[in-house]
Amino acid sequence: MNKDRVIPRRAVVLAAGLLLLSAFAIPLVREQQPQVPDLKPPSELALLMRHMTSWSDSTKQRLVQQRELPPFPKEFTGILTAAPTDSKMDIERSHFDAFAHYYLDQLKALYAAAPEDRARTFNATVNGCATCHGSACPGPLVKIRKLYVPL
């Protein structure tokens, strides 16, 4: 028998042990994986607010760089009719509508403002978001607070 081809008994026992251990360990690892709950798709209102956040962030950058405003976001008027998550709100509808109208009024004021007043007017728009989210759905406040233009 050729000594180069003989596999030591220890290596065979070790390989068999590892194979046996892995056969039992893999199902245990699979069983311990946390179950990820089925996530609901975002609501119409949530998607609109994400778009509003993205628009606000890019508008902030334009204001900081003293560039022109982007085109007026007409689609933001949808805030008055967009369906919330689970068709319910954490705030009375009349209060939400008041905040939404304030936001839309501030948005119009931003586009009507003289260039030197736009940063202040934009911050009032962001403040409207923060005030509403302070009353209901406070999760986005951290992100909203980063939208203010330094004056």
Side-chain angles (χ1 to χ4, degrees), residues 25-35:
I26 290 172
L28 290 175
V29 169
R30 285 187 186 142
E31 289 174 15
Q32 294 174 357
Q33 295 292 328
Q35 294 295 324

Side-chain angles (χ1 to χ4, degrees), residues 1-90:
M1 197 180 238
N2 186 349
K3 280 189 170 183
D4 293 335
R5 296 204 169 217
V6 175
I7 300 173
R9 182 176 278 175
R10 283 185 185 171
V12 172
V13 171
L14 181 61
L18 288 174
L19 186 61
L20 188 61
L21 181 62
S22 68
F24 287 104
I26 290 172
L28 290 175
V29 169
R30 285 187 186 142
E31 289 174 15
Q32 294 174 357
Q33 295 292 328
Q35 294 295 324
V36 176
D38 291 333
L39 297 176
K40 295 178 186 177
S43 69
E44 187 180 12
L45 185 59
L47 290 173
L48 179 61
M49 288 191 176
R50 289 177 189 171
H51 180 50
M52 292 164 81
T53 302
S54 176
W55 177 90
S56 296
D57 187 48
S58 64
T59 301
K60 171 189 175 180
Q61 297 309 315
R62 286 173 176 247
L63 290 168
V64 167
Q65 297 166 1
Q66 298 180 345
R67 294 174 42 214
E68 285 300 311
L69 295 172
F72 186 88
K74 295 175 192 168
E75 64 274 18
F76 290 177
T77 60
I79 194 171
L80 298 169
T81 58
T85 304
D86 295 331
S87 299
K88 62 181 179 180
M89 297 188 139
D90 296 336

Side-chain angles (χ1 to χ4, degrees), residues 102-140:
Y102 174 80
Y103 173 81
L104 294 172
D105 289 344
Q106 283 302 125
L107 194 59
K108 290 175 191 170
L110 172 64
Y111 280 84
E116 62 272 10
D117 295 330
R118 286 183 182 157
R120 183 186 49 76
T121 307
F122 175 81
N123 284 347
T125 304
V126 174
N127 196 53
C129 299
T131 303
C132 183
H133 280 275
S135 299
C137 192

